[in-house]
Amino acid sequence: MWDGLVSVAKETYTASLGEGVVPRPLMMPLVRGELVGLIWVRPLKVGQDALTGIAELANIAAAAGADEVVLAWETHDVATACELPIVGPAPCLNMVLATRDGHVLHQFPYTEQLLSRSPEGWASVAPDWRPAPAPQPGGELVPPVQAAVNFSFTPIELDHPDPFGVTVVLMEEDGYRISLTEAFAR
């Protein structure tokens, strides 16, 4: 399963960077080894809103009762949005695999090969994936990702017959892009 999730993340990054866009942070919760879906963070404002928006990715995982979560984000993009120092390789696709018992940080550094530049200055690039450093059990996570990991395993208590469904609806209304697998689709 892990290799498939890494492949999906790398394909998403390659396609998005080719269109001149850095993909937003992404969460992939799993319940008993089954993927719940893909949840991309809502549009963010720089600063506190970005910190909150990334941490709120945990809501779907918590509502689904996830026992594992995978989060993916780009080093420079999240540091800039959250007004944090850049820690680790950049540019770099980071992925963390987390359970209640801990997490392992995986980093996939890349260099950018310029494909084209628009008249407005937007660059379309292709990632040239570099050798990945060894996975880091307990590796340091940026604060909003650490918060999302922590909150993913905190049960959501909603007085509603379908807490998962209502959480999905509320998050979609807030601008999160959610693509659920068939097993979890409403």
Side-chain angles (χ1 to χ4, degrees):
M1 173 70 84
W2 172 251
D3 291 339
L5 296 177
V6 170
S7 179
V8 165
K10 282 185 167 183
E11 287 170 12
T12 299
Y13 267 69
T14 299
S16 294
L17 291 171
E19 295 173 2
V21 177
V22 175
R24 294 182 188 157
L26 165 69
M27 178 179 272
M28 299 172 270
L30 295 101
V31 175
R32 293 179 295 287
E34 190 168 344
L35 182 65
V36 173
L38 307 176
I39 301 94
W40 286 271
V41 78
R42 62 178 166 71
L44 304 170
K45 294 181 183 133
V46 173
Q48 185 61 46
D49 183 62
L51 293 163
T52 301
I54 294 168
E56 287 176 346
L57 285 168
N59 291 342
I60 296 286
D67 43 36
E68 291 180 276
V69 294
V70 174
L71 276 89
W73 72 98
E74 201 284 325
T75 299
H76 189 265
D77 184 56
V78 167
T80 300
C82 297
E83 299 178 315
L84 299 169
I86 295 174
V87 178
C92 182
L93 165 62
N94 300 280
M95 293 182 72
V96 63
L97 174 60
T99 65
R100 290 182 193 284
D101 300 324
H103 69 269
V104 179
L105 175 62
H106 300 261
Q107 295 180 307
F108 304 96
Y110 59 92
T111 56
E112 297 175 341
Q113 305 302 316
L114 183 64
L115 298 175
S116 65
R117 189 171 296 280
S118 74
E120 297 81 25
W122 294 101
S124 172
V125 299
D128 181 12
W129 299 104
R130 297 299 188 204
Q136 303 167 46
E140 183 179 353
L141 303 176
V142 292
V145 171
Q146 183 66 64
V149 165
N150 295 345
F151 296 140
S152 289
F153 306 109
T154 303
I156 287 184
E157 298 190 20
L158 287 174
D159 186 18
H160 191 278
D162 182 12
F164 177 73
V166 76
T167 300
V168 169
V169 168
L170 292 173
M171 288 187 70
E172 286 177 333
E173 287 176 356
D174 282 347
Y176 289 86
R177 197 172 89 212
I178 300 170
S179 176
L180 299 175
T181 59
E182 267 187 49
F184 290 89
R186 297 173 267 152

